[in-house]
Amino acid sequence: MDISIRNLSVRFATDSGEVPAVNHVSLSFPDNKVTGIIGETGSGKSVLGLSILGLLQPNATVLGSIMYGNRELTSLKEKELCKVRGKEIAFVAQNPATSLNPSIRVGKQIEEVFRQSQKSKAKSHEEMLKLLEQMAFQNPRKTARLYPFELSGGMRQRILAAIAVAAHPQWIIADEPTKGLDAVIRNQVYQTFQMIQGQYQMGMIVITHDLLLARKFCHQIVVMYCGRVLEMNQAKELFEHPMHPYTQGLIASLPHLGMKAMNGFSPSFTDQPSGCVFHPRCPYATEQCRVEEPKTVPYKEGSVSCHRYY
Ligand SMILES: Nc1ncnc2c1ncn2[C@@H]1O[C@H](COP(=O)(O)OP(=O)(O)OP(=O)(O)O)[C@@H](O)[C@H]1O
Ligand code: SF4
Ligand SMILES: [Mg+2]
């Protein structure tokens, strides 16, 4: 089942005012495909991911629609959402420290998920070791016996990914699943995801700063900036013909393309530029860009939000 977001806005109430972290986002995440969400820090990627499963903090207000098949996730009661979480849509959080049980060995935490699907103790143990190996742990037996505090952040992230996979959900949303890992292990984790995605025909949303792996691994890419989707398209199309000046800047800053850093910084959420939010950094900004927010127009199989294209 596809996940379809329509006109989603998320605002946080804070002491220093309202933070509009996600603004009027409409997106479809197709089933059986991998969608990557990219964009600089603070662009609203995690908030968008968390909003799908109602995992935002209590100071959040969510407006708009998130359909999963024919269910409206934003209006499900907490009890009904709990049934969706993990079993139908699993979330691998960006901060793994708070998501594992600190007093249970990590192997047992994965085994318990297999046990819930009626697997025997021996079979669950065997599958847990296999999964740890697939998740690039060199010594699965030794790792299984460790407690979360004995693992590095990157290792904990992979344990969380293993827990998500063990439940065989229809969807996995992974927030920075390879943060802090070296290039070889990063590749290995993505390959495991790719294998599992193909094997179980599941949908995936991968939030990442790693543009090169996103290009290799994702079918479609969503580019976020200041809580907005500036561009989305098939991965190949987006990397070969980026339309939005921000996407062009992100791609030009890749090491093998000259590492040309983009001018300026993302603005703060409480003091957003008028018109196009990207205009203070855009080499093509016109007077119209400074006053009028661009519409989102279809382009190939995706869309782009920039005055240059209509
Ligand atoms: N509970 C909250 N209360 C107030 N502001 C929040 C809350 N949660 C997130 N934000 C703000 O929402 C904005 C978007 O945050 P988000 O975590 O989605 O960014 P991100 O794109 O995931 O960044 P990163 O790449 O660093 O993980 C940020 O300005 C963040 O400070
Ligand atoms: S709308 Fe204008 S400022 Fe915004 S990205 Fe397009 S050209 Fe640049
Ligand atoms: Mg994040």
Side-chain angles (χ1 to χ4, degrees):
M1 285 184 285
D2 294 354
I3 298 175
S4 290
I5 294 181
R6 288 290 160 265
N7 206 16
L8 185 79
S9 293
V10 179
R11 303 183 207 302
F12 293 104
T14 72
D15 291 344
S16 46
E18 197 171 68
V19 177
V22 171
N23 293 284
H24 305 289
V25 164
S26 293
L27 273 178
S28 278
F29 299 104
D31 198 8
N32 297 340
K33 294 267 190 305
V34 185
T35 299
I37 305 183
I38 62 172
E40 286 163 304
T41 185
S43 54
K45 306 182 296 295
S46 296
V47 171
L48 181 71
L50 289 164
S51 66
I52 295 173
L53 284 172
L55 292 169
L56 294 166
Q57 279 156 325
N59 65 334
T61 306
V62 178
L63 300 168
S65 158
I66 305 173
M67 294 294 290
Y68 176 47
N70 56 10
R71 276 177 289 176
E72 174 55 74
L73 295 183
T74 58
S75 53
L76 288 190
K77 300 217 165 58
E78 183 58 23
K79 205 171 141 204
E80 294 164 320
L81 261 181
C82 275
K83 289 189 204 147
V84 177
R85 286 184 202 133
K87 295 184 197 78
E88 293 187 67
I89 306 176
F91 191 85
V92 183
Q94 183 170 5
N95 177 6
T98 51
S99 315
L100 289 166
N101 188 328
S103 56
I104 301 180
R105 294 180 204 273
V106 293
K108 185 128 196 292
Q109 298 194 44
I110 301 172
E111 257 175 61
E112 276 171 7
V113 183
F114 284 120
R115 293 281 282 156
Q116 278 163 19
S117 53
Q118 319 302 327
K119 290 210 167 81
S120 70
K121 207 161 182 251
K123 182 82 184 146
S124 301
H125 186 71
E126 188 190 315
E127 297 221 1
M128 176 273 290
L129 292 176
K130 201 169 106 197
L131 192 52
L132 284 180
E133 194 178 352
Q134 286 172 340
M135 282 293 166
F137 286 101
Q138 275 165 5
N139 190 339
R141 279 176 202 285
K142 190 171 159 218
T143 306
R145 286 195 295 271
L146 299 175
Y147 289 95
F149 76 89
E150 294 175 288
L151 301 173
S152 69
M155 289 164 109
R156 283 198 290 258
Q157 190 88 36
R158 278 181 284 154
I159 296 291
L160 278 184
I163 289 174
V165 166
H168 286 181
Q170 277 119 50
W171 276 88
I172 290 186
I173 304 175
D175 196 351
E176 302 277 4
T178 54
K179 197 175 175 191
L181 302 179
D182 70 40
V184 175
I185 296 185
R186 244 181 5 237
N187 226 330
Q188 218 166 333
V189 171
Y190 272 109
Q191 272 168 9
T192 303
F193 271 179
Q194 201 161 26
M195 184 190 76
I196 287 160
Q197 191 267 333
Q199 202 172 331
Y200 299 120
Q201 292 289 296
M202 55 170 72
M204 271 193 195
I205 299 173
V206 180
I207 297 169
T208 183
H209 281 267
D210 193 332
L211 267 60
L212 291 178
L213 277 176
R215 175 184 189 160
K216 200 158 114 186
F217 178 64
C218 299
H219 300 108
Q220 70 169 18
I221 307 273
V222 172
V223 182
M224 287 192 72
Y225 185 76
C226 278
R228 291 159 178 84
V229 171
L230 298 190
E231 180 167 10
M232 64 158 293
N233 226 310
Q234 301 293 305
K236 191 170 183 302
E237 177 64 37
L238 188 120
F239 278 95
E240 284 176 9
H241 306 288
M243 299 297 281
H244 199 283
Y246 177 62
T247 318
Q248 290 168 358
L250 280 181
I251 292 173
S253 66
L254 285 171
H256 71 291
L257 292 174
M259 226 153 117
K260 205 165 147 285
M262 239 185 296
N263 285 335
F265 300 97
S266 300
S268 105
F269 271 103
T270 45
D271 186 19
Q272 300 221 337
S274 57
C276 169
V277 275
F278 188 59
H279 88 250
R281 301 173 72 182
C282 182
Y284 310 104
T286 63
E287 192 44 40
Q288 183 191 19
C289 302
R290 281 180 263 277
V291 291
E292 194 185 314
E293 183 153 11
K295 285 192 286 217
T296 300
V297 291
Y299 175 70
K300 299 252 169 119
E301 289 176 59
S303 64
V304 60
S305 304
C306 170
H307 287 303
R308 300 179 85 205
Y309 303 111
Y310 60 89

